[in-house]
Amino acid sequence: TLAELARQRRVLAAALSNAINVFNPELVLLGGFLATLLASAPEELAAAVKAHCSPASFAATRIAAAGLGDDLLMIGAAELAFAHLLADPAMADL
C-alpha cells in the first residue's frame, strides 16, 4: 500500500541520514528494493534524508538508483560462477 511505502521511505531516510552524517559521501546508490523505494517518491525521500542530516554533510550528496537495476542478482550470480577466472585470468583452468 501507499502508506507502507511511505513508512519504508521514512525508515530508509533515517538510516541514510545516519550514514551520510558519519561518512559524508558524494553519492549514495540504492539497489533492489531500496531502489524501488527511491523510485516511488525520489523528492520525498531526499527531503526526508536532508531533514535529518547536518547541512554540511548533505550539501554535496546525491541519492541515485544503482545502474544494474533488475540485472543486479543475475550479474552477481555470474560473478560467483566465474570467480576463479576473475581472480586470476592467466591461471584459470577452463
Side-chain angles (χ1 to χ4, degrees), residues 54-77:
S54 71
S57 293
F58 190 76
T61 301
R62 186 170 62 97
I63 302 171
L68 295 178
D70 293 340
D71 294 333
L72 176 67
L73 295 178
M74 181 176 61
I75 291 172

Side-chain angles (χ1 to χ4, degrees), residues 9-60:
R9 280 192 304 272
R10 286 191 305 272
V11 172
L12 178 58
L16 290 178
S17 63
N18 287 332
I20 290 168
N21 282 329
V22 171
F23 297 110
N24 197 22
E26 291 181 19
L27 176 64
V28 175
L29 289 177
L30 301 177
F33 173 67
L34 301 179
T36 302
L37 290 176
L38 174 64
S40 69
E43 296 84 14
E44 182 181 318
L45 180 61
V49 172
K50 183 178 180 179
H52 292 94
C53 280
S54 71
S57 293
F58 190 76

